[in-house]
Every structure is written in C-alpha cells, then in structure tokens.
Amino acid sequence: FDILWNDTRARIRSEGVNELTVNKHLKDAQQLTFLYCTHLDHAFSEYADDDYKRFEELAAAVWIHVFNRDEDACNDQLKRIAAYIEYQHENIAHGLPDSYFWEGRIPWGDMPNFKGMKDNSGKELDSHNVSGLVILKEPWTITLTDSGKPYYWNTKTNETTFA
C-alpha cells in the first residue's frame, strides 16, 4: 500500500495543497477509500446471486463515493464504470490463478470506453468538452512525481517528458 499512498500524496500535492496539510488530506483520502471499498464489498457479498441488484449497487457506490452524489453525473458514465468494476472483480475472483494474485501479476482489463457517452436526457456528449479530460495517443500516459508534478511516460519505450 505504500506505493498507493505515495501516489495519492503526490496527487494531493499536484492540486496545490499546502504542504503542511498534505498528511491531513491523505488521511481524508484513506478514509474515503475505505468507505468506498466497504461499499463495493457490500455490493459483491450482499448481491452475489442477483446480477441486476449488484450492478445497481456498484453504480450507486461510484455515484456516492467517486462522484460525491453529483446530481448531474451521467448515468451512462456510472454504468460504464460499474461494468468495469464488475469485470475486474470477475477477473480477479474467478479468472486469475491464485499464484498470479499473490505475485501481483494481475492482467487488468481495458479501461472503459467513454466515447459516444450520453447525458441523462439521451443526448450524446461531446468528448472534447469534458472538463479535465486529456486524451493521449497510445502508449503515452500521464503520471506524477513524488512532489506531484505531472509528466508524460511512454509505457513501451520508457521515454519520459515533463508537461
């Protein structure tokens, strides 16, 4: 978990949070993450035999803990993220050899495709106007230094460049 929390600390710093309050914000992030994970666990255990209710509960967990109960959140987006969570759970719980799990060799599935997403009235959203969305060509990704400074990383060549 050290890597996860170091990355979280870097993301907090990248938002311009005062250095003296970074650990307080890290504690808040840990608490929110725990609540989210508990909600996901509830969905998978309580509705293990009811695919529809489990999926609805996963979407609710995303809406509550990721979108902070935003009334303007798109149901289409919530459902795509819930489907992604469901797939990853199925992959880890039933499709992965135990040795792979314990060695950390998890073949994660592809991220959800958000193209052609519709708002809650059924109108297709313009993906170029999504706030904060940066689309990079494969195999580039954005990552953060420990101090929270973003940089670009080519996952095939290991080339890096600062933003």
Side-chain angles (χ1 to χ4, degrees):
F1 282 104
D2 288 342
I3 294 170
L4 170 68
W5 297 122
N6 286 339
D7 181 64
T8 304
R9 188 177 292 116
R11 290 175 185 276
I12 291 169
R13 286 182 178 127
S14 75
E15 293 297 319
V17 172
N18 181 318
E19 188 63 32
L20 294 175
T21 64
V22 167
N23 284 335
K24 179 209 174 295
H25 290 289
L26 180 62
K27 181 181 174 190
D28 293 344
Q30 289 171 329
Q31 182 179 11
L32 292 171
T33 301
F34 178 76
L35 291 172
Y36 182 42
C37 289
T38 302
H39 197 157
L40 294 175
D41 186 56
H42 165 76
F44 284 111
S45 59
E46 186 72 24
Y47 303 113
D49 297 325
D50 189 332
D51 294 345
Y52 178 79
K53 284 186 179 178
R54 182 178 56 250
F55 185 79
E56 290 297 312
E57 193 65 27
L58 291 173
V62 171
W63 180 68
I64 291 167
H65 302 287
V66 177
F67 286 84
N68 200 27
R69 299 176 193 262
D70 181 359
E71 294 292 335
D72 296 325
C74 296
N75 290 330
D76 189 11
Q77 186 176 25
L78 295 173
K79 289 177 180 178
R80 291 178 193 209
I81 296 171
Y84 173 78
I85 294 168
E86 180 84 50
Y87 170 81
Q88 298 301 354
H89 177 266
E90 184 68 23
N91 177 40
I92 293 170
H94 305 291
L96 187 70
D98 287 346
S99 62
Y100 282 29
F101 178 80
W102 294 112
E103 294 167 6
R105 297 188 304 157
I106 300 171
W108 298 108
D110 293 335
M111 292 294 295
N113 181 348
F114 293 110
K115 292 180 181 171
M117 207 165 52
K118 296 181 177 14
D119 66 15
N120 292 339
S121 67
K123 180 182 172 198
E124 190 163 325
L125 295 171
D126 180 5
S127 63
H128 298 291
N129 293 329
V130 177
S131 175
L133 179 64
V134 177
I135 300 173
L136 299 175
K137 293 186 177 186
E138 290 283 336
W140 288 94
T141 187
I142 296 176
T143 192
L144 300 171
T145 65
D146 285 343
S147 65
K149 193 171 186 183
Y151 66 96
Y152 299 103
W153 172 42
N154 184 311
T155 58
K156 289 194 186 216
T157 67
N158 276 333
E159 178 185 353
T160 59
T161 183
F162 279 86

